Amino acid sequence: MAKRTPDHLKIIAGTARPDRMNPDAPPANIGTAEPSEWLSERAAEIFAQLSATLLGMGIASPDDQAALALLASRLEEIEICTAVIEDAGRTYCTTATSGDKLVRARPEVAMRNEAMRHAQSLLSEFGLTPATRAKVSARNPAEENPFDALDYFS
């Protein structure tokens, strides 16, 4: 079974069709989410930055708290793994039981790679990558049409 795209994402992406919409889908609340208590201080900072970005795009919702917390945690994990890799290098040397010298990839390289893949996926879910941001057509509530006040077409 194919993954169903939520209606609000179809509207934002401009791909909404009445025959494929779910009229019973619950609407998302408007506003910013609060960071989860389990987030570290750095992850909470990243969470706040992401929330502010989504608010600026006009698509922020407190309903997205768990997914935003997961994204913030993954981005922090990328920062931590990158710091270890920069300090210790991408590889390390060890000695095999036969006495041969072995050069192996540091575990943080694989951990960072997996965190980057997951973060990329989550960023796309929120429309926070260049390709997915280009699909977002949400209107900022603060940007009202100045011609609405004229009632010209009423």
Side-chain angles (χ1 to χ4, degrees), residues 13-26:
T15 60
R17 287 182 25 190
D19 62 326
R20 293 186 178 172
M21 300 295 277
N22 179 3
D24 298 325

Side-chain angles (χ1 to χ4, degrees), residues 13 120 123-124 127-136:
Q120 169 70 28
L123 287 166
S124 294
L128 294 174
T129 63
T132 57
R133 185 174 50 247
K135 297 177 185 177
V136 175

Side-chain angles (χ1 to χ4, degrees), residues 33-150:
E34 292 294 320
S36 300
E37 290 183 17
W38 58 267
L39 289 174
S40 69
E41 186 176 330
R42 176 61 185 141
E45 290 173 8
I46 295 169
F47 185 99
Q49 291 170 351
L50 293 167
S51 293
T53 300
L54 292 173
L55 182 64
M57 293 172 67
I59 56 173
S61 173
D63 302 336
D64 298 330
Q65 177 188 21
L68 276 174
L70 186 59
L71 175 55
S73 180
R74 281 305 220 171
L75 291 173
E76 179 195 26
E77 185 179 349
I78 292 167
E79 288 180 357
I80 292 168
C81 289
T82 299
V84 170
I85 292 167
E86 287 175 353
D87 290 345
R90 295 179 186 275
T91 59
Y92 67 97
C93 294
T94 187
T95 306
T97 54
S98 63
D100 294 338
K101 180 180 169 185
L102 296 175
V103 178
R104 296 190 178 201
R106 191 165 288 289
E108 291 83 3
V109 173
M111 292 165 55
R112 183 178 70 167
N113 186 40
E114 182 60 29
M116 285 180 160
R117 288 179 192 271
H118 192 206
Q120 169 70 28
S121 174
L122 290 167
L123 287 166
S124 294
E125 288 283 329
F126 285 105
L128 294 174
T129 63
T132 57
R133 185 174 50 247
K135 297 177 185 177
V136 175
S137 60
R139 188 174 186 188
N140 190 341
E143 295 177 15
E144 291 299 323
N145 185 344
F147 299 105
D148 286 345
L150 297 177

